Each structure stands twice: as C-alpha cells, then as structure tokens.
C-alpha cells in the first residue's frame, strides 16, 4: 500500500492512478477519514493520560471524597470506551479504503483499457531477425491437443472425472518434458546466483493481503474450510511472506530467489475463456524469480530488466519465438508499478499468448508485509520487491509442442533441454 502521508500530499496523482487502473476509489473520503483518525487518536491518548493521572490520586484520598472520585473515574472510563469504539469504527473504514488504493504506474506505462492496448517493444525469432515465423501448416498442422493425443500425453476426460471442470492428467512424455522444463529453468536461474526454494502452497491470509492479491482477487483464491489458510496462486505470495515483519540490513540486499511451487487459481473472472484443452487450468506449476532490493527506483528498474532478460534467455534456449510487451494501465494489477508480459508464439492460433510476466512494485507490497531494512546511515526503510515467471506449466508445454513438431508428427527436443529430457526427438 502507499504511505498515507504520500497520499495526502499527492491526492491528484493517486486519483489519476485509480482512473488509469480502472479502480473505483473515493480518495477524498480516505483523506477525511485519516484526519478524523488522527484527531480521534490524539483525543483517546489525552483522555487516557488524564484518567491515569487522576487514578494515581486515589491512593492519597479517603472516605466520601475517595468514593466520589472513584465514581467520577468510572464515568470517565466509560467515556474513554465510547471514544475508543468511535476510533475503531473510523479505523475499520480507513483500513478498508487504504487497501484499495493502487500503486502509481511508471510514466513509461501506456494508458489503456485492456491487453489489446499493450505496447510491443521487441520480439525474437529463432530463425533470425528478418525471417518470417514458421506457419502452422509448415510445422505440420497439428495443434497441441492433436499432438498430445497422438503421443498419449493428455487425458482430459478422466481429469474432469477426478478433478471437475478444467481437471486434467498429463501422461508419458508430457510429464517428462514438464520435469525437464522445471529443472532446466531452475538450474538456469540458480546458476545466476538465485537461492533455490521449494515454497509452500498453503498460505495465511495476511500473505495475500501483503502481496496485494486481497481484497480485490479474493474470488480467484481457494479457501481451506475451517482454517485461516488459502491455496497460493504463485510462489510470489509465500516468498513475500518469508521476511514478513523483519528488518534486514542493507548489506543483506539484494535477496534473489528462484522458487518452485504448485499453484492454484479458481479463474473466477475467466469463465468461458479457454475452456478447451489445458491452456487455462485451476492447478499448475511455476518456477518463479523473486527479488528484494534497496528502496531505490533505479535499482528496481535494473532488476526488472534483469529478470525479464533471464526469462527471454530461457525462451531463446528453448527456441520458442516470443515478443515482449509493456502492459497498459488497465492491464496491470493494483500493486504494480510496471509489468512486462512475454508472449510466446502459438502457431495453431496464429498469435502470441502470454506465458511470462515480470513486474516491480516499489515498496507497495513490502509496506503491507512490513519488510524493512536498515540503510548505511541507520535509517529504516521498506525494501522494494519484484517477481517474474521463469517457467509455468502446462501453459508453456502446449506452445513448446506446437513450435517443435515436425511434419511427420514427431517432436524435436531443442539442444538445451536434451540433457534434461534424455533424448533428441519424440518419435510418432
């Protein structure tokens, strides 16, 4: 969340951020509540001080005067209770509103309503910069569902029987390719100095509030009945919680992690989208890059570019064509300052589809999660946070299969993955 002092001093900027991100928010009401909250806190503190001061005098009093004074103290205690209730009411509304305040998008983020307004900044083609992307027909003309059926890689019917809508089983080489992709991505990022983590899937509510997923995206998250636990949709959530309520030192930074986790999303807002196949599913797996760095904009920008570059290098090694876009203001989350999506070429759909996301947040998440550090001058600051998808399956698997299919129905394994998969080609 944003610092309330920043909000008071930049009301028009915050209002404009809400407008750009399509968030309905009464900023003026928040500022009024903040003023009432501060006044009421001062009143409560003064009433408590006077009450404690008066209470100390009772030990020096006797008889009727003491009884009268005690009665007066009880009346004052009731007044304090009423004022404390008033403060709690104000704070509840204040806390509800401040959690809805969006982060300020970077000036380089294009204004727009949806992903159709995202801005392409570069692309990459394994055949060369000036070459045309291979057509679906030239590759062999089989979409990933056909390929997976021919190679006995997927069972959606039994997946639905077992797990319901969007349920699936991966089989045979689809499983082995998935493991190869995870290990390849994990090694690739870990070799750059990122600390490997296997992150928990079950997380407490405060971690979802900390990352900014709650309250807005609550409908997309699975809740464990009778427990204050939820199923995480990304390793970003538990990794943000890892240092929650801690103070680091500047020499500890940056903290760079690569974390693997199963992920779960209800996809409540995507009903009717990508219902065929396994492009959009409730249960999937991700290798995630996560960084905590100094409270410095240029440091965040540098790491944002670095994380994005890592994912691009992964796709290049996998020989998958892609493009990078800057997400517009209407297509980035409440917490985001700036997001790049990497969209990989999906031959059967004759278009790019998002497979990676790379974002930075300044101290929006860490202020919520209360992650700080002591700088070289001894001042306590909130760290900055960033995250990026290294590999997410099964989404990348479909694009991988289509791009590496051969006209005879076999599937060629790119050189970078061969040592992890164990062979060069999957014969028909």
């Amino acid at each position: 969340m944003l610092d309330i002092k920043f909000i008071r001093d930049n009301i028009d900027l915050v209002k404009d951020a809400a407008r750009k991100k399509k968030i309905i928010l009464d900023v003026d009401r928040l500022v009024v509540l903040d003023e009432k909250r501060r006044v009421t806190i001062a009143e409560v503190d003064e009433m408590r001080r006077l009450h404690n001061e008066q209470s100390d005098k009772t030990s020096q009093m006797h008889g009727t005067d003491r009884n009268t004074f005690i009665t007066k103290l009880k009346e004052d205690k009731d007044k304090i209770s009423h004022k404390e209730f008033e403060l709690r009411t104000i704070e509840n509304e204040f806390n509800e509103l401040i959690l809805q305040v969006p982060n300020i998008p970077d000036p380089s983020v294009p204004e727009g309503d949806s992903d159709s307004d995202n801005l392409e900044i570069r692309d990459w083609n394994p055949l060369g910069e000036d070459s045309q992307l291979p057509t679906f027909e030239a590759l062999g003309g089989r979409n990933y569902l056909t390929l997976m059926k021919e190679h006995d890689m997927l069972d959606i019917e039994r997946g639905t029987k077992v797990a319901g809508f969007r349920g699936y089983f991966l089989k045979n080489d689809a499983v082995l390719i998935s493991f190869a992709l995870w290990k390849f991505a994990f090694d690739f990022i870990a070799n750059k100095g990122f600390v490997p983590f296997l992150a928990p899937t079950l997380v407490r509510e405060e971690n979802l509030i900390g990352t900014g997923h709650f309250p807005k995206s609550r409908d997309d998250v699975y809740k464990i009945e009778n427990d204050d636990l939820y199923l995480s949709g990304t390793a970003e959530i538990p990794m943000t919680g890892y240092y929650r309520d801690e103070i680091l030192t500047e020499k500890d930074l940056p903290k760079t992690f690569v974390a693997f986790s199963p992920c779960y999303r209800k996809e409540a807002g995507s009903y009717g989208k990508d219902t065929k196949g396994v492009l959009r599913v409730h249960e999937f797996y991700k290798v995630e890059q996560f960084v905590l760095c100094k409270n410095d904009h240029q440091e965040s920008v540098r790491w944002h570019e670095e994380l994005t570059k890592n994912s691009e290098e992964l796709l290049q090694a996998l020989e998958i064509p892609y493009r990078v876009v800057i997400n517009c203001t209407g297509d980035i989350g409440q917490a985001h300052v700036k997001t790049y999506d990497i969209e990989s070429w999906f031959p059967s759909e004759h278009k790019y589809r998002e497979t990676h996301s790379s974002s930075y947040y300044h101290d929006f998440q860490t202020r919520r999660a209360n992650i700080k550090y002591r700088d070289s001058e001894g001042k306590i600051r909130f760290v900055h946070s960033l995250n990026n998808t290294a590999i997410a399956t099964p989404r990348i698997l479909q694009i991988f299969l289509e791009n590496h299919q051969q006209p005879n129905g076999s599937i060629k394994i790119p050189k970078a993955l061969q040592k992890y998969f164990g062979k060069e080609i999957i014969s028909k």
Side-chain angles (χ1 to χ4, degrees):
M1 61 186 175
L2 297 180
D3 183 1
I4 185 59
K5 184 179 184 302
F6 176 87
I7 296 172
R8 288 198 306 267
D9 294 343
N10 298 274
I11 293 176
D12 290 340
L13 184 63
V14 174
K15 287 181 177 179
D16 197 44
R19 177 190 64 80
K20 289 177 177 178
K21 291 191 173 185
K22 316 302 175 187
I23 294 173
I24 299 174
L25 175 67
D26 191 342
V27 181
D28 292 326
R29 175 62 180 167
L30 176 63
V31 173
V32 169
L33 284 169
D34 175 53
E35 179 62 26
K36 290 176 65 177
R37 181 180 66 97
R38 288 185 291 149
V39 169
T40 308
I41 287 172
E43 290 175 347
V44 168
D45 288 344
E46 179 63 13
M47 291 173 73
R48 287 171 178 165
R49 186 191 67 79
L50 289 173
H51 184 267
N52 292 335
E53 189 179 274
Q54 296 298 313
S55 296
D56 291 340
K57 295 180 180 180
T58 57
S59 61
Q60 305 169 13
M61 304 178 71
H62 305 280
T64 303
D65 288 345
R66 187 175 189 276
N67 292 335
T68 301
F69 197 73
I70 289 174
T71 301
K72 175 66 167 55
L73 285 175
K74 289 180 178 178
E75 292 173 355
D76 290 344
K77 185 71 172 179
D78 288 340
K79 290 178 182 178
I80 293 173
S81 295
H82 285 297
K83 183 59 71 172
E84 288 173 336
F85 177 78
E86 179 185 339
L87 176 59
R88 285 196 300 272
T89 302
I90 293 169
E91 286 185 328
N92 287 341
E93 186 179 355
F94 172 83
N95 290 334
E96 182 179 335
L97 271 179
I98 200 167
L99 287 178
Q100 299 174 38
V101 175
N103 208 345
I104 310 300
D106 189 79
S108 63
V109 175
E111 189 169 345
D113 296 329
S114 68
D115 57 4
S116 62
D117 297 312
N118 293 347
L119 178 65
E120 180 180 331
I121 56 174
R122 60 181 172 271
D123 62 10
W124 183 83
N125 182 351
L127 298 179
E129 185 177 343
D130 298 322
S131 301
Q132 294 292 319
L133 288 170
T135 66
F136 179 53
E137 293 72 23
L139 287 168
R142 295 170 174 85
N143 66 25
Y144 78 90
L145 285 171
T146 301
L147 284 165
M148 295 182 91
K149 181 178 180 180
E150 289 183 356
H151 291 276
D152 195 21
M153 292 181 174
L154 177 67
D155 195 328
I156 293 177
E157 291 74 16
R158 290 185 178 90
T160 302
K161 180 177 69 174
V162 170
F165 180 54
R166 299 192 193 275
Y168 65 98
F169 281 98
L170 293 184
K171 303 166 58 181
N172 299 318
D173 282 325
V175 178
L176 301 180
I177 293 173
S178 296
F179 274 97
L181 287 168
W182 302 335
K183 189 62 168 66
F184 167 62
F186 217 82
D187 285 355
F188 186 88
I189 304 301
N191 286 337
K192 291 178 177 287
F194 287 59
V195 179
F197 268 76
L198 184 61
T201 298
L202 291 171
V203 294
R204 298 167 66 177
E205 183 174 19
E206 53 263 38
N207 300 293
L208 289 146
I209 293 172
T211 54
H213 287 83
F214 280 5
K216 185 178 180 182
S217 299
R218 189 177 289 271
D219 289 343
D220 274 332
V221 180
Y222 287 101
K223 173 78 166 65
I224 305 300
E225 290 297 325
N226 304 318
D227 275 308
D228 179 29
L229 290 172
Y230 297 81
L231 291 176
S232 174
T234 168
E236 163 200 352
I237 296 166
M239 295 314 300
T240 301
Y242 187 74
Y243 284 112
R244 183 167 53 85
D245 296 326
E246 294 189 32
I247 299 177
L248 308 173
T249 61
E250 187 169 329
K251 66 181 178 59
D252 293 328
L253 301 175
K255 294 286 189 181
T256 59
F257 307 129
V258 54
F260 176 83
S261 71
C263 302
Y264 302 87
R265 290 181 192 170
K266 285 184 178 179
E267 297 282 5
S270 61
Y271 182 79
K273 293 182 180 179
D274 299 313
T275 56
K276 186 178 181 181
V278 287
L279 188 67
R280 192 182 299 274
V281 291
H282 295 314
E283 182 176 6
F284 53 101
Y285 305 87
K286 283 176 71 178
V287 177
E288 185 88 356
Q289 301 179 78
F290 182 79
V291 172
L292 297 175
C293 69
K294 291 191 302 183
N295 191 309
D296 177 81
H297 172 70
Q298 292 305 322
E299 184 79 350
S300 277
V301 169
R302 183 180 73 80
W303 275 110
H304 190 217
E305 299 298 329
E306 188 73 19
L307 295 181
T308 307
K309 179 184 176 185
N310 290 347
S311 290
E312 289 188 63
E313 289 177 352
L314 279 168
L315 283 173
Q316 290 173 14
L318 294 173
E319 302 173 25
I320 295 175
Y322 67 85
R323 68 174 185 172
V324 181
V325 301
I326 305 177
N327 293 39
C328 73
T329 54
D331 193 40
I332 60 175
Q334 176 199 11
H336 302 61
V337 175
K338 185 175 181 179
T339 295
Y340 292 135
D341 272 355
I342 302 178
E343 301 175 345
S344 300
W345 180 245
F346 208 154
S348 64
E349 296 191 358
H350 306 284
K351 64 180 181 182
Y352 294 96
R353 293 293 297 260
E354 183 260 316
T355 53
H356 298 68
S357 188
S358 180
S359 305
Y360 70 94
Y361 305 85
H362 284 162
D363 61 4
F364 190 92
Q365 293 181 325
T366 56
R367 188 177 293 275
R368 288 178 173 223
N370 194 31
I371 308 172
K372 303 174 182 177
Y373 73 100
R374 183 174 281 103
D375 68 15
S376 57
E377 298 177 353
K379 185 175 181 179
I380 301 296
R381 300 176 179 272
F382 289 100
V383 300
H384 281 190
S385 64
L386 307 92
N387 65 68
N388 168 283
T389 313
I391 282 289
T393 61
R395 175 164 291 202
I396 195 66
L397 183 61
Q398 303 147 67
I399 287 171
F400 177 91
L401 293 174
E402 287 198 10
N403 278 283
H404 292 303
Q405 66 175 304
Q406 305 298 300
N408 66 356
S410 62
I411 299 163
K412 184 180 178 181
I413 304 301
K415 185 176 181 180
L417 204 65
Q418 288 173 11
K419 74 171 184 177
Y420 295 96
F421 184 64
K423 50 187 174 182
E424 299 180 8
I425 198 161
I426 301 173
S427 299
K428 185 175 177 182

